[in-house]
Amino acid sequence: MLRTALRPRWLGLLALVVVVMVTFTMLGLWQLNVARDRGRAEAVKAAPKRPVAELTTVVQPQAQFPADGSGRRVTATGRYNAAGQVLVTPRLLDGRRGYWVVTPLVVDRTGARLAVVRGFVTDPAAATRPPATGPVTVTGSLAPAESPTAGAALPAGQLGSVDLADLVNQWGGQIYNAFVFATAERPDVTTGTTGTAGIVRVPPPPPAGGGLALRNAGYAVQWWVFALFALYMWWRMVRDEHQREQSPARPAPAPQKVRKEVTDV
């Protein structure tokens, strides 16, 4: 069968099939990207409509970050540990380079620390620590830990990412494997009249992932099936020709003798 497939006409047809397969594969990848983009857009649109959940019902201290936790709106009550505040840099907000102000919140229900991105500053001096007041209720958008960054050493109290493995060494005790972009506080100790001047809220990023738009994902699968079908049809035609060549030739049927009956009159 290989000798049959290597004939010029079948090789030429195979080249055409390869072009068709590449085209169909690219069309499938395009539809898959469309499915991802639409799935992400649907997730972003649906995120504000999801009810705000108590933090402890979504994730527990030291527990793995939930699969559907990215972008989930949560609320937690506790007290800020101002001594553990760090700055994460470099970060951008509205084209300005600066720092995220990250402060640990000791959650009342568990006693574990939750990293809270309280806001953004362009000058480290503006990131004064929260006042030592009573408990504060933080509402915000949940996010998974960031990966460690490699680079030049930063000044004390500054990090290159929200690396929770690094923060647990600094803060001690139990820690949540998640951090929160604060969108509101009660009372507002960050941007309110009793809070710190110069800190502005950081808009939560869109939810990571977001799933797929099933219709476009189905189109992607169809294109890939068409690509495989084109290859199958080429193989089927080569196989059929090979089988015809290998089949023994049938002898031609012998001519039938016509018997003539003579009738005596």
Side-chain angles (χ1 to χ4, degrees), residues 23 27 78 101 109 119 167-168 213 224 243-244 254 257:
T23 302
L27 288 171
V101 181
R109 290 195 176 186
L167 289 176
V168 72
W224 295 332
Q243 290 179 345
R244 285 195 299 270
K257 294 182 179 180

Side-chain angles (χ1 to χ4, degrees), residues 33 58 185:
N33 289 331
V58 178
E185 294 170 328

Side-chain angles (χ1 to χ4, degrees), residues 203-214:
L212 297 174
L214 295 181

